Amino acid sequence: MIVVRYILSSILLLAAVYIVVLNWGCVIVSIRNARRGIDRHHSTVPLVSFFLTIFGIVFFPQPNKVAWMIAVPILDIAHLNIVFAIFWLPVMLVRTLRKKKNHPPSNAQESS
C-alpha cells in the first residue's frame, strides 16, 4: 500500500510540475509575441498545480517530509501573477481614474 501511495503522489506531483512548466512556457511565448507585434496571448492556468500538489501531499506516506513539495506551487508564474495582481490593482485603478479626469467627456450631440 505504501508503494501505491508513493506512485500516486509522484504522478500527481509530476502533473503539477508539468503544468508549472507549461505556465512558464505560455508566459515566455506571450512575451515573444508581444515583442514581435503579434496580438496573440497565451493564457496560464492558476490554481491547478496548487490543488495537484495538495493531493500529492495528502497521498504522500511520510507527512513530515513534504516541505519540498510546497516549492512547486510557489514557483508557478500563474500564482505569482495572482499575488502581484493584488498589489497592482490599486495602481491600475488610480491610473484609470487619472486618465478619465484628464480627458474631457466627448459630446455625442456635437458630431451629429
Side-chain angles (χ1 to χ4, degrees):
M1 185 66 179
I2 292 178
V3 174
V4 172
R5 290 180 67 186
Y6 271 117
I7 292 171
L8 185 61
S9 176
S10 298
I11 289 172
L12 289 170
L13 191 62
L14 285 174
V17 169
Y18 181 72
I19 290 174
V20 169
V21 169
L22 285 178
N23 282 342
W24 275 100
C26 288
V27 169
I28 291 169
V29 169
S30 293
I31 290 171
R32 288 180 66 192
N33 285 345
R35 287 183 184 166
R36 292 179 183 170
I38 302 171
D39 195 22
R40 175 93 184 189
H41 174 71
H42 295 273
S43 180
T44 58
V45 181
L47 299 178
V48 174
S49 65
F50 176 73
F51 289 122
L52 286 174
T53 305
I54 293 299
F55 289 135
I57 289 172
V58 167
F59 288 118
F60 197 70
Q62 299 173 347
N64 57 353
K65 298 186 179 185
V66 297
W68 58 273
M69 289 184 184
I70 303 291
V72 174
I74 290 174
L75 295 175
D76 193 357
I77 189 70
H79 298 135
L80 295 176
N81 281 340
I82 291 173
V83 171
F84 292 144
I86 292 170
F87 296 114
W88 190 248
L89 181 65
V91 174
M92 292 304 294
L93 291 175
V94 169
R95 284 184 182 178
T96 305
L97 288 175
R98 283 187 181 174
K99 226 181 235 188
K100 286 182 180 179
K101 281 184 180 180
N102 292 340
H103 297 291
S106 62
N107 201 353
Q109 293 177 353
E110 290 178 9
S111 62
S112 322

